[in-house]
Structure formats: C-alpha cells, structure tokens
Amino acid sequence: MVNSVSFPKKLYYVARMIGAFAGPAIARWSTRPALPATSTPVAFTLGNGIKLWHLPIGVVRVREWHRELPRELAEVDDGLRFPVMMSNTSITGWLECAAWLIDHPERYILVDTGESISFGTPDYFKGVPKMLSNGYPKIIDATAANENVLTQALSSAGVSHGDIDLCVLTHTHSDHIGNIDQLDHSTPILVSQQELAPVGRGGRLLAKLPQGERVKTTALTQQHNIFGNVMPLTKSNDVFVISTPGHTVGHQSVVIDLGERQIVIAGDAAFDDQQVLNKAIPGIVENRQLTLQTYEALLRAQQAKPTLNLFTHDSTNRRKLSEFSRLNSQA
Ligand SMILES: [Zn+2]
C-alpha cells in the first residue's frame, strides 16, 4: 500500500502542503460556523469516593483527513502522512476539547487544559518558533467562547487553582496545553520524557511549558498486570499514568481503576472508539506503528475488564459516562 503512492502523486501532496502554508489561516478560507453553546462542567460519580468532572474547554476544527485518513491512504509512510493530510480541504465542524478533573479522596488531578480563546495571537505563541506559530493556524482552527476558560470551569466544579495537586498533559498540542498559564504557578505538570524530546516537525508547543522545576517527567516504574509499566498517581494505586504513543511519540493517558471496571482518559490516542476498532489512522499521528500498538493495548484492556475510553474530541463522552456511572451504581 505504501508503494501505491506514485512519485508524481507525492510531489502533488507536497505542493498542496506548501500551498496550504502559503495561503491564509483556516479561519479565513473556511468560514467559521457559529460556536456551539458553552456547556458547563458536569461531574460523574464513579464510586470509591472518586468523582470525574468533564470540563469542555474550547473547540477546534480540523481537516477531515486530520481526523481520519481515507482507507486507501491509511498506510502512507510517516514522512508523507502530513503532506497528504494538508492536501485535504474539507474541514470538520467544531469539535469539543475536553479537559478532565479527577476528584479523588487523596488529591485533585487535572488532565489537560483545553484550548484557549487567545489561540493564534502573538501572546499565545510567545516563545514558540516562528515556523510553528505561523503554521499552526493553517493546520487547525481553534478558539473558545468568551466565558469558556479553565478558571471558570474549575470554579463551576467548586475548585480553585490552588486546589489542583497535579496537572497531567496527555501531550503538548495546543488544544491540550492551551490554558496552561491559568494554572497556579506552583502546580506541578507531568509530561512524558519522549514528549519533551525536540522534534523537527510536529505541533508540540513545548515553549508553552513553564520553565524550571514545575515540569516533571513521567516515571513508569510500577508493573501493572493489564497496562505494563505505569506511574501511580495515588497511594491507593487506583489512578495511574500509562504510555499511549502514536499521536505523538510521547502521548500518555490516565487510568482510573475502579476494581471491576476502569476508565482510560485517552486524550488523542484516537478520536473515538470506532477508530480503535477499525484500526483507522488519523492524518495527524506522528507514528502509525505506535498508534496501532496503542489501539491493541486499549483493546486488550477492554478484554481484561469493562473499560470506558474517553477521548478529548469525542462528542459522546457525556453519554458514555452517564451510561457507565449508571451501570456502576447498579453494580
Ligand atoms: Zn487534540
């Protein structure tokens, strides 16, 4: 399949990509639809004293092929995938960006920070290499409603910045790190070592991470029977970080183990469950092989015990969680 992309076709994709970067930002060539109504944070009771808050913060629009490549292009090699994706001109509607707050008896853990209304402004891209800050608005369109900020979402959850004990970043794309500056300046941030390794291309916004001691790297030091090496975030070992590479090579997820069942806060490991089942590949993945391995790991977890995967841009998260917590209370 890889060889099915002929040389002239490769040139075509690269030329289209160059054209996309030379052209205006997505927001200008594909008229923005109205913003969806801002939904307020909702808490789901999971049992064992754990509550999970769904915090919708910001929205993104991406190319259809960014979300998922057509079957016949799913196997293009890693170097050509990005030009192929950029050659596509149909844009999705607004996709929600979810951040998650785990209210655990031991601590508050925030997973990701959502997208910011200031996406695309010089302030937002402060310190980010020019090529990346100029290119970003041509790869995605992103924003948030006025009142849709992390601070507001946390206060709806009855939590202030200072209460957050740890912020785990699944990865450092804009719609996950967008509101990192709204955290308390003492909140530790957990990122994988691989995510921090410099990359030539790719949309990791490492410059938005605070300098110094606050950024900790994930240490997967404990062996887990389902997930391999994990990093526990609670003394009771019921919340832990796992490695789910592919989307970025340093992408990580957070598991909430409820005994009989489990939840995987899976970031952009996929856009939805269907992609995992169908082995469908988004255009945006850094490494296809690792993406497929992560899909395998999520499917194996599902075989071990009932597992709910929550993806950042999945519009069915709330429905899935309602169903899950309903079954939980019956159990
Ligand atoms: Zn994302």
Side-chain angles (χ1 to χ4, degrees):
M1 189 78 84
V2 175
N3 297 327
S4 68
V5 180
S6 64
F7 185 67
K9 201 75 190 166
K10 280 184 190 167
L11 282 183
Y12 164 82
Y13 288 130
V14 172
R16 295 275 299 212
M17 174 184 71
I18 293 168
F21 280 114
I26 292 184
R28 279 175 49 209
W29 65 261
S30 166
T31 315
R32 279 184 168 176
L35 286 179
T38 312
S39 44
T40 41
V42 168
F44 295 87
T45 304
L46 304 180
N48 301 347
I50 307 170
K51 261 199 278 183
L52 179 63
W53 284 88
H54 175 234
L55 313 175
I57 306 173
V59 285
V60 289
R61 291 193 302 148
V62 298
R63 287 170 173 78
E64 293 285 357
W65 290 7
H66 176 131
R67 214 193 76 78
E68 187 171 317
L69 287 171
R71 271 276 147 208
E72 67 275 16
L73 289 167
E75 292 181 33
V76 293
D77 51 44
D78 288 337
L80 189 61
R81 190 179 312 103
F82 187 74
V84 165
M85 173 190 109
M86 290 297 290
S87 76
N88 182 223
T89 53
S90 47
I91 308 296
T92 66
W94 290 116
L95 307 178
E96 175 187 289
C97 305
W100 303 93
L101 177 67
I102 305 169
D103 176 353
H104 185 279
E106 291 180 32
R107 60 203 309 215
Y108 283 108
I109 301 164
L110 182 69
V111 183
D112 287 337
T113 67
E115 186 54 276
S116 159
I117 193 169
S118 63
F119 172 84
T121 61
D123 199 42
Y124 184 90
F125 285 124
K126 212 163 107 203
V128 173
K130 260 225 148 14
M131 212 169 105
L132 192 52
S133 61
N134 289 341
Y136 232 102
K138 302 185 179 186
I139 303 170
I140 66 163
D141 183 17
T143 189
N146 253 328
E147 69 278 21
N148 190 206
V149 293
L150 181 63
T151 313
Q152 187 102 4
L154 289 176
S155 79
S156 307
V159 170
S160 75
H161 301 88
D163 296 332
I164 308 291
D165 297 292
L166 176 71
C167 173
V168 181
L169 291 178
T170 57
H171 62 299
T172 56
H173 284 163
S174 73
D175 48 329
H176 302 258
I177 198 173
N179 295 295
I180 196 94
D181 56 347
Q182 287 181 34
L183 292 177
D184 188 271
H185 292 313
S186 62
T187 308
I189 296 162
L190 192 69
V191 187
S192 81
Q193 186 71 56
Q194 294 90 328
E195 188 73 12
L196 295 174
V199 270
R201 275 190 310 184
R204 298 189 217 162
L205 290 174
L206 300 179
K208 283 183 81 69
L209 288 170
Q211 297 298 306
E213 298 289 288
R214 270 179 76 200
V215 177
K216 316 278 182 203
T217 52
T218 308
L220 304 169
T221 52
Q222 197 152 310
Q223 183 64 29
H224 188 274
N225 61 344
I226 298 173
F227 292 102
N229 294 329
V230 307
M231 175 177 178
L233 299 181
T234 54
K235 290 194 195 79
S236 42
N237 283 346
D238 53 357
V239 181
F240 50 86
V241 180
I242 61 170
S243 172
T244 46
H247 180 71
T248 65
V249 294
H251 189 281
Q252 57 186 4
S253 298
V254 176
V255 178
I256 305 173
D257 183 0
L258 299 160
E260 297 289 291
R261 301 158 174 272
Q262 60 193 353
I263 290 179
V264 182
I265 300 177
D268 286 353
F271 279 80
D272 55 36
D273 292 301
Q274 218 49 41
Q275 285 192 335
V276 178
L277 282 172
N278 297 341
K279 302 190 177 9
I281 300 290
I284 196 65
V285 305
E286 282 182 11
N287 185 307
R288 176 174 168 270
Q289 218 40 53
L290 290 175
T291 301
L292 291 172
Q293 283 169 23
T294 289
Y295 289 175
E296 286 302 321
L298 292 175
L299 292 170
R300 271 200 311 276
Q302 183 67 257
Q303 277 158 12
K305 57 171 132 172
T307 304
L308 182 75
N309 294 322
L310 298 170
F311 303 103
T312 304
H313 307 295
D314 184 352
S315 61
T316 66
N317 280 328
R318 281 198 179 177
R319 188 170 54 69
K320 283 159 62 173
L321 264 168
S322 303
E323 177 76 355
F324 185 88
S325 42
R326 192 174 60 78
L327 291 173
N328 226 40
S329 61
Q330 285 169 0

